Amino acid sequence: MSNMTNQSGAKTSMLMRLVRMREFALIVIILALSVFMSFASPYFLTEGNLRAILLSFSTEGIVVVGMTILLIVGGIDLSVGSVMALTMAVAGKLFLVGLDPWVASLMGIGAAAMIGVVMSFFVTRVGLHYFIVSLAFLGIARGLTLVVTQGTPLSLFSLPPEFKFVGQGSLYGIPFVVILFFVIVGVADFLLRRATIFRRVYYVGSNEKAAEYSGIRVKRVKAGAIILCSTLAGLAGVIFMSRFGAAPPQFGVGMELNVIAAAVIGGAGLYGGQGSVLGAILGIALLSLVSSSLQLLDVPVFWQDGIKGGILLVAVTIDHIVHTRKA
Amino acid sequence: MLNDIVLQLTNIRKSYGAIHALKGVHFTLRRGEIHALAGENGAGKSTLMKIIDGIVQPDSGQIVLNGDARQFRSPLEAQRAGIGFVHQEIALCPQVSVAQNICMSRINTEGGFLVNYREVRQVARAAIEQLADIDVNTLVGDLSISNQQVVEIAKALTLDCQILILDEPTAALTDRETEALFAIMHRLKAQGMSIIFISHRMAEIFEHCDHVTVLRDGEYVMDTPVADTTPEDVVNALVGRQMTHLYPDKLTGDPTAGPVILRAEAVADEGRVRGVDLTLHKGEILGLAGLIGAGRSELVQTLCGLRRRTAGRVELNGAAIHPRDYADAIRSGLVYLSEDRKGEGVFLNMPIAQNVSALRLDKVTTPFGMLDRRAEMDQARTHGAELRLKAGSLRDDVSSLSGGNQQKVAIAKLLTANPAVMMLDEPTRGVDVGAKAEIHALLRDFAEQGVGIIVVSSELPEVIGLCDRVLVMAEGRISGELSGDQMTEENIMALASGLALTG
């Protein structure tokens, strides 16, 4: 039961803390894989390849931020891929009927937030489980997307250049998407560690009853996390729309699995109370790095999903062993 | 053949990492006896019982059952050897009927493909009838905790065991159920069964048991016939020191002499609290006694906004208050300590400092909505020192602390609100004797500093020893008030079971 910590000086315990942190382990793995790849493939360390890897996960990474916060509170959202597609369809359709693209995008994000509001009603007021509610909305949001688009991709080549800049432009040679991603991740990570409202997320996830008995308005915190997750999925949808100049109705199918896998590899548990934005981002960076590496090594693409699943299993197993030994 | 030895454990050792749970313990069980096992929390009683039941394997030592050296690698093996175990924590399937729960192991071990549910119901009914009137078709999840405990016991009775282990079986039972349980224990004993009975209650040990074995800090202290010892000796043996002054001094004079801090009139909730009047005076510790289900916890939860108040009036320092929810009540100075520390009181996998600050995060928040982590640490340090909290680092998780220190963290959390009234539900449950005395002394200090203290407790010696005045509840109402010499176990029990006091 009791945890005998090594009390031999603060310095060693600080080091121990660092080593035990998931983020540290992930950085080490990412660096090791990068070093290996730089020898294994002459293309790995090229600017083009690194930029491609960054681009591949930065938009999805915004969804990972929302999912991580929701996982910390003890929830889960399977509908993010569908909500993202719905946002693109709504924003695209409104643009095509003549609305300003920025206003259309805001309304698209608003639609995503509304999905979050409705889901939070079913979770906190009706009392259904996140998994069931978001499974239903995985279908509902995708269905709405198909209705709005009539099943065919909306082509949005007429989007004005300043709007396309969000998804396609660069500042000082760095894709704007990547900058946006780092800003969002940086702010989210800081707030999650330091802001009072996000501390409540950890309390509720750690022990919902104890949170209630500490005067924390548990339902509000849960609803906030659900709505935030949907809204960030909407934001990612708008960025994708700008990047691709299109709104395909089947976009983002199966994305929730990749996003949840990244957050869990990064240290979030399915029982709440654990996880960090930095860890989750390192998780999705690792997954993208692995995909890219497999391509460079000419591993047939069919292997990818299996290998990613294996990484998830290994990460969670190690975590489980470390934690049960600690207890 | 009356006194032959059924089970003998010699020199049992068991460590978990650096912690030595058992340091060479002996235990001897004779045929047809009720053998009490006593010890503080953490003394190693549960580990010892888990070894007998095959849940845990000892590092070294010998187990001899009916003359043969044995090793139980799983509960199933122990079960086959005739050992039944009623756990303290309820381990039943809530969505399944009482009958199927009682016959769980029977269904599990019996060959054949189909379950004979008619037989299952008959067996279950026969087992539970002797204990209480519970319909075997109800779902376990719909029963009260004490009835679930009864089911747990009935489950063990269906196994044809020669050794029955009961781990604090009476903790959740009402008096009547407890009496029924003892009657059955004596009957089983007469049939030649040996019973290991774990209990904290000296009265139960001395009234019903034949032998008592005492453990302390994983060590074997003594094994003696109950007839040859006294409750005082047993308490001293399990504490390891002379416990002369367990409770702090009480208030001198009339406990209601001080000004009224909290006044409730005709307070009711949605059914469990049915019109309660109470006054809490400055300086006193007010006890709330009664049977489980009498509405004590519900009453204090209603007072502090955790349950909806449907009628009545509550005044704090003379002004009427209407807390919308608990967050609101905290701001006006009413705080509540849950009876279920691990489930509802603390965040086990969060650092101590963050536990302490949970109730009033605004106090460690900067004007920009950010956490001031230094203030958070300082606050935890201040209240930790005030409560004599023993912890390695305030950054350690609460799970690393002992039960008593976890409880102090939960109390420190309440202190951050500068409470006007503290309502503590079973404040010393699952806390060892030493920490218990400390918590009692602290509560007395708070009362002297002018904080209103209401203590809900099922432990009568605690109510009598600690409180200046006690209100007894029965079926959602106050059935009587006692103070001074009138505060006796007999009077409290009489009021709790709804009888009027005689004399």
Side-chain angles (χ1 to χ4, degrees), chain A residues 150-172:
Chain A
Q150 289 298 302
T152 49
L154 305 178
S155 82
L156 308 165
F157 295 117
S158 52
L159 280 169
E162 67 270 20
F163 186 78
K164 283 183 183 164
F165 177 82
V166 174
Q168 300 170 16
S170 295
L171 277 179
Y172 309 108

Side-chain angles (χ1 to χ4, degrees), chain A residues 212-248:
Chain A
E212 190 187 330
Y213 284 179
S214 299
I216 292 166
R217 288 169 175 141
V218 172
K219 286 179 182 173
R220 252 188 238 184
V221 175
K222 287 163 125 182
I226 294 171
I227 297 166
L228 182 63
C229 183
S230 296
T231 309
L232 287 175
L235 177 63
V238 167
I239 295 171
F240 273 125
M241 185 176 86
S242 157
R243 186 163 146 203
F244 299 132

Side-chain angles (χ1 to χ4, degrees), chain A:
Chain A
M1 278 289 281
S2 97
N3 172 12
M4 288 300 190
T5 44
N6 182 8
Q7 297 289 345
S8 60
K11 263 188 188 155
T12 50
S13 86
M14 275 295 281
L15 191 68
M16 281 307 293
R17 253 178 238 275
L18 188 69
V19 172
R20 276 243 294 268
M21 267 164 65
R22 177 66 71 90
E23 290 87 341
F24 184 80
L26 281 169
I27 290 172
V28 170
I29 292 169
I30 289 172
L31 285 180
L33 186 56
S34 303
V35 169
F36 169 76
M37 281 308 296
S38 61
F39 286 109
S41 163
Y43 302 104
F44 180 78
L45 269 186
T46 59
E47 195 190 325
N49 185 52
L50 293 180
R51 178 196 296 250
I53 294 175
L54 266 178
L55 262 178
S56 71
F57 70 82
S58 45
T59 313
E60 206 167 287
I62 294 172
V63 185
V64 173
V65 170
M67 185 69 77
T68 303
I69 294 170
L70 190 52
L71 285 169
I72 294 171
V73 93
I76 195 163
D77 186 353
L78 303 178
S79 73
V80 284
S82 301
V83 168
M84 210 171 68
L86 178 65
T87 309
M88 296 165 78
V90 169
K93 193 79 185 173
L94 290 173
F95 168 69
L96 288 178
V97 300
L99 241 64
D100 176 81
W102 301 102
V103 176
S105 296
L106 273 181
M107 295 182 78
I109 294 173
M114 271 315 295
I115 299 273
V117 170
V118 178
M119 286 199 294
S120 69
F121 172 82
F122 282 101
V123 171
T124 64
R125 300 288 155 184
V126 181
L128 305 180
H129 195 272
Y130 301 88
F131 188 92
I132 306 295
V133 172
S134 65
L135 184 62
F137 275 86
L138 173 125
I140 294 169
R142 183 66 66 188
L144 288 172
T145 310
L146 289 168
V147 170
V148 171
T149 59
Q150 289 298 302
T152 49
L154 305 178
S155 82
L156 308 165
F157 295 117
S158 52
L159 280 169
E162 67 270 20
F163 186 78
K164 283 183 183 164
F165 177 82
V166 174
Q168 300 170 16
S170 295
L171 277 179
Y172 309 108
I174 305 167
F176 185 70
V177 175
V178 173
I179 296 173
L180 194 62
F181 163 73
F182 276 113
V183 169
I184 289 177
V185 165
V187 169
D189 190 69
F190 176 78
L191 289 179
L192 206 56
R193 287 174 201 277
R194 299 296 300 277
T196 299
I197 52 169
F198 285 105
R199 168 68 71 73
R200 296 203 175 93
V201 169
Y202 282 96
Y203 285 133
V204 173
S206 172
N207 185 343
E208 194 176 320
K209 256 317 198 190
E212 190 187 330
Y213 284 179
S214 299
I216 292 166
R217 288 169 175 141
V218 172
K219 286 179 182 173
R220 252 188 238 184
V221 175
K222 287 163 125 182
I226 294 171
I227 297 166
L228 182 63
C229 183
S230 296
T231 309
L232 287 175
L235 177 63
V238 167
I239 295 171
F240 273 125
M241 185 176 86
S242 157
R243 186 163 146 203
F244 299 132
Q250 293 300 343
F251 192 76
V253 171
M255 181 197 198
E256 62 282 348
L257 298 181
N258 210 33
V259 169
I260 294 167
V264 170
I265 290 171
L270 289 185
Y271 302 105
Q274 291 177 340
S276 75
V277 168
L278 180 62
I281 293 310
L282 290 170
I284 198 152
L286 178 63
L287 288 179
S288 300
L289 188 64
V290 167
S291 298
S292 150
S293 303
L294 292 174
Q295 276 167 28
L296 286 176
L297 296 174
D298 288 328
V299 176
V301 70
F302 315 109
W303 286 87
Q304 285 212 10
D305 279 352
I307 290 173
K308 283 187 185 174
I311 292 174
L312 176 66
L313 206 57
V314 169
V316 176
T317 305
I318 291 171
D319 191 54
H320 183 75
I321 292 169
V322 168
H323 274 89
T324 42
R325 184 160 306 163
K326 201 177 91 177

Side-chain angles (χ1 to χ4, degrees), chain B residues 316-352:
Chain B
L316 181 63
N317 290 322
I321 53 165
H322 310 274
R324 256 187 317 133
D325 56 13
Y326 183 43
D328 215 22
I330 291 168
R331 249 168 271 128
S332 41
L334 302 180
V335 294
Y336 170 72
L337 180 78
S338 161
E339 62 182 314
D340 178 4
R341 179 177 64 247
K342 285 188 180 166
E344 303 171 346
V346 293
F347 304 93
L348 280 174
N349 57 0
M350 291 183 77
I352 296 165

Side-chain angles (χ1 to χ4, degrees), chain B residues 13 23 26 37 89 92 106 118 135 154 175 188-189 218 231 237 239-240 298-299 317 336 376 392 427 462 466 485 490:
Chain B
R13 288 172 191 279
K23 308 169 196 168
H26 314 289
L37 182 61
E89 307 92 40
L92 298 169
R106 194 189 179 87
R118 180 195 300 264
D135 181 3
D175 266 18
L188 294 172
K189 170 184 156 181
V239 178
E298 289 81 0
L299 170 60
N317 290 322
Y336 170 72
E376 188 172 53
E462 175 172 61
L466 176 69
D485 296 341
E490 292 72 26

Side-chain angles (χ1 to χ4, degrees), chain B residues 392-409:
Chain B
S393 157
L394 296 173
R395 287 194 186 85
D396 288 346
D397 286 355
V398 169
S399 59
S400 70
L401 300 176
S402 67
N405 281 303
Q406 289 181 5
Q407 190 71 318
K408 286 182 183 176
V409 171

Side-chain angles (χ1 to χ4, degrees), chain B residues 273-437:
Chain B
V273 181
R274 302 174 187 165
V276 167
D277 295 341
L278 71 79
T279 53
L280 173 67
H281 296 263
K282 199 167 194 154
E284 70 167 343
I285 296 181
L286 178 65
L288 267 183
L291 301 177
I292 288 167
R296 300 164 302 168
S297 301
E298 289 81 0
L299 170 60
V300 286
Q301 287 178 1
T302 307
L303 291 177
C304 63
L306 276 161
R307 291 173 69 89
R308 212 158 67 83
R309 187 166 99 210
T310 54
R313 184 182 158 82
V314 179
E315 276 177 18
L316 181 63
N317 290 322
I321 53 165
H322 310 274
R324 256 187 317 133
D325 56 13
Y326 183 43
D328 215 22
I330 291 168
R331 249 168 271 128
S332 41
L334 302 180
V335 294
Y336 170 72
L337 180 78
S338 161
E339 62 182 314
D340 178 4
R341 179 177 64 247
K342 285 188 180 166
E344 303 171 346
V346 293
F347 304 93
L348 280 174
N349 57 0
M350 291 183 77
I352 296 165
Q354 299 189 8
N355 266 271
V356 173
S357 60
L359 198 71
R360 284 295 300 272
L361 268 184
D362 53 317
K363 287 183 78 177
V364 293
T365 299
T366 64
F368 303 107
M370 295 296 135
L371 288 161
D372 183 343
R373 289 190 285 194
R374 183 168 299 163
E376 188 172 53
M377 289 296 282
D378 288 346
Q379 174 181 269
R381 203 171 295 123
T382 310
H383 290 305
E386 191 178 348
L387 299 177
R388 291 184 284 282
L389 177 72
K390 286 185 214 56
S393 157
L394 296 173
R395 287 194 186 85
D396 288 346
D397 286 355
V398 169
S399 59
S400 70
L401 300 176
S402 67
N405 281 303
Q406 289 181 5
Q407 190 71 318
K408 286 182 183 176
V409 171
I411 294 174
K413 185 170 80 171
L414 303 186
L415 292 181
T416 61
N418 289 327
V421 177
M422 296 171 81
M423 307 184 205
L424 306 120
D425 203 346
E426 308 286 356
T428 61
R429 178 178 285 176
V431 166
D432 65 52
V433 177
K436 199 167 176 167

